[in-house]
């Protein structure tokens, strides 16, 4: 069973500190440049994607994965979405992930600009934008900067507040960078070796298996297809969220795992400041990976939100 909270409104006369800070900060609309990135490349990257066909008269559904993920995370869900909604469904590899190009810029400004450029090229504007974790922050950033691009927004187990588990994610990256695999070993043996080497740092076998989806063979050697250097360098930025002064007034759903600690009650004031039409829905017995833990509840929630 799913639990719902009411749509929120910001009470008059109760403007928070974030809003007051914004009064002194000029609003910079999306130009593709990332703030605080001295080596940032303003040009969007040509992302790898998969587009499933559907009714072109309806806004397409766009699925954005989280950190260390790829478009293949949503392969099964995307097919179900086409059947359930009749809509086109787009899955995308973020920069530095999957089959998309690498870049030293791992900012949300750059990632949202990539998505905006792809949506324009595919004539999928406006769309229903659904993002999990890091992808949810990218989706929120794009909706706040370019609300005309996003018809509806879904943020899955993430909020516009800094994410707390930064230390262990940093240790995961360090452990992945330290793996040592001999040349010319079979893929199955390589996966077993890497699993063993990661196990001392990454205790959860399910998380290790998730990380191992990034192990690929390049010539005779195995390597990671995620850009670990860029992710390590910009992890602090990935785990936070760019300060925002504008709000997104479109329909918004925050879909939260009941067993997850990523979205806390203390985040609600910032959610309702930035997304005044937001509803929050809790999926009981789901962790951070809501679509994987409870795929039926996830699909039911999305279908209801689109109805």
């Amino acid at each position: 069973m799913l639990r719902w909270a009411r749509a929120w409104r910001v009470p008059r006369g109760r403007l928070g500190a974030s809003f007051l800070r914004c009064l002194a900060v000029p609003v910079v609309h999306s130009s593709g440049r990332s703030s605080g990135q001295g080596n940032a490349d303003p040009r969007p990257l040509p992302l790898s994607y998969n587009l499933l066909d559907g009714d072109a008269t309806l806004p397409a559904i766009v699925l954005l994965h989280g950190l260390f993920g790829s478009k293949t995370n949503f392969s099964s869900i995307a097919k179900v979405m086409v059947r359930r909604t009749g809509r086109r469904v787009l899955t995308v590899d973020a920069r530095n992930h999957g089959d998309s190009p690498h870049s030293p810029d791992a900012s949300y400004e750059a990632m949202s600009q990539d998505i905006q450029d792809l949506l324009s090229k595919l004539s999928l504007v406006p769309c229903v934008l659904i993002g999990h974790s890091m992808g949810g922050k990218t989706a929120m950033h794009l909706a706040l900067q370019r609300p005309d691009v996003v018809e509806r927004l879904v943020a899955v187990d993430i909020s516009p507040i800094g994410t707390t588990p930064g230390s262990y994610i940093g240790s995961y990256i360090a452990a992945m960078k330290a793996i040592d695999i001999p040349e010319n070993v079979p893929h199955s043996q390589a996966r077993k070796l890497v699993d063993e080497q990661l196990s001392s740092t990454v205790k959860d076998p399910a998380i290790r298996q998730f990380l191992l989806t990034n192990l690929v063979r390049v010539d005779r050697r195995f390597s990671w297809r995620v850009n670990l250097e860029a992710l390590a360098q910009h992890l602090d930025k990935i785990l936070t969220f760019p300060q925002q002064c504008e709000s997104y007034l479109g329909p918004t759903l925050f879909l939260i795992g009941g067993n997850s600690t990523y979205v806390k009650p203390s985040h609600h004031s910032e959610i309702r400041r930035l997304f005044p039409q937001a509803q929050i829905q809790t999926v009981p017995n789901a962790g951070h990976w809501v679509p994987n833990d409870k795929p039926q509840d996830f699909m039911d929630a999305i279908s209801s939100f689109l109805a």
Side-chain angles (χ1 to χ4, degrees):
M1 181 179 296
L2 306 175
R3 299 197 299 271
W4 284 87
R6 297 177 58 187
W8 293 305
R9 301 291 185 274
V10 179
R12 293 183 180 180
R14 293 179 61 187
L15 301 179
S18 296
F19 178 85
L20 296 176
R21 284 196 301 270
C22 284
L23 296 179
V25 179
V27 178
V28 180
H29 293 283
S30 179
S31 65
R33 294 182 180 274
S34 63
S35 58
Q37 301 282 347
N39 58 352
D41 187 342
R43 295 171 298 179
L45 297 181
L47 302 180
S48 177
Y49 66 89
N50 185 39
L51 178 60
L52 300 181
D53 196 22
D55 188 346
T57 67
L58 297 172
I61 297 171
V62 179
L63 297 169
L64 307 181
H65 63 79
L67 185 65
F68 303 122
S70 72
K71 61 182 180 292
T72 60
N73 298 154
F74 290 115
S75 294
S76 298
I77 287 286
K79 294 174 183 176
V80 175
M81 281 187 171
V82 172
R83 293 197 298 268
R84 288 277 297 266
T85 70
R87 298 172 185 246
R88 295 164 292 173
V89 177
L90 178 72
T91 56
V92 186
D93 284 337
R95 62 168 54 200
N96 297 314
H97 291 75
D99 297 321
S100 286
H102 288 186
S103 167
D105 187 353
S107 67
Y108 287 111
E109 292 87 346
M111 286 190 280
S112 64
Q113 184 65 42
D114 291 341
I115 299 299
Q116 180 185 329
D117 183 70
L118 178 62
L119 294 174
S120 177
K121 288 179 177 177
L122 297 177
S123 299
L124 297 181
V125 175
C127 70
V128 176
L129 198 53
I130 302 175
H132 171 246
S133 198
M134 181 190 78
K137 289 185 177 181
T138 301
M140 285 187 283
H141 187 272
L142 180 54
L144 290 165
Q145 296 298 306
R146 289 293 306 272
D148 57 304
V149 171
V150 183
E151 192 261 346
R152 286 171 183 261
L153 172 67
V154 181
V156 183
D157 207 56
I158 203 68
S159 77
I161 296 291
T163 308
T164 54
S167 59
Y168 74 72
I169 292 179
S171 69
Y172 290 177
I173 294 176
M176 292 169 73
K177 291 172 67 175
I179 66 163
D180 182 27
I181 310 174
E183 292 187 14
N184 298 321
V185 299
H187 192 269
S188 59
Q189 184 180 349
R191 287 179 60 90
K192 183 178 180 181
L193 288 171
V194 173
D195 185 66
E196 292 173 351
Q197 293 177 36
L198 291 178
S199 62
S200 61
T201 301
V202 186
K203 304 297 185 181
D204 189 333
I207 295 178
R208 293 202 302 274
Q209 291 305 306
F210 173 66
L211 297 177
L212 280 166
T213 62
N214 290 288
L215 188 67
V216 294
R217 188 196 295 271
V218 179
D219 296 326
R220 296 184 301 171
R221 296 191 63 86
F222 285 90
S223 63
W224 300 105
R225 63 179 178 175
V226 287
N227 186 349
L228 295 176
E229 293 295 337
L231 298 184
Q233 183 177 357
H234 299 293
L235 184 59
D236 288 346
K237 292 183 179 295
I238 293 171
L239 296 178
T240 57
F241 189 71
Q243 182 173 312
Q244 303 291 326
C245 300
E246 300 294 325
S247 60
Y248 172 72
L249 303 180
T252 304
L253 172 64
F254 283 80
L255 193 58
I256 309 304
N259 296 339
S260 174
T261 59
Y262 274 67
V263 181
K264 304 178 186 299
S266 59
H267 298 181
H268 292 180
S269 61
E270 184 70 353
I271 289 174
R272 60 178 179 255
R273 180 180 76 85
L274 294 175
F275 305 96
Q277 301 297 324
Q279 295 176 325
I280 189 167
Q281 181 175 348
T282 301
V283 182
N285 302 314
H288 181 55
W289 285 275
V290 178
N292 299 82
D293 294 345
K294 293 291 181 177
Q296 185 63 52
D297 286 350
F298 176 78
M299 271 307 314
D300 289 345
I302 298 301
S303 298
S304 177
F305 181 62
L306 295 178

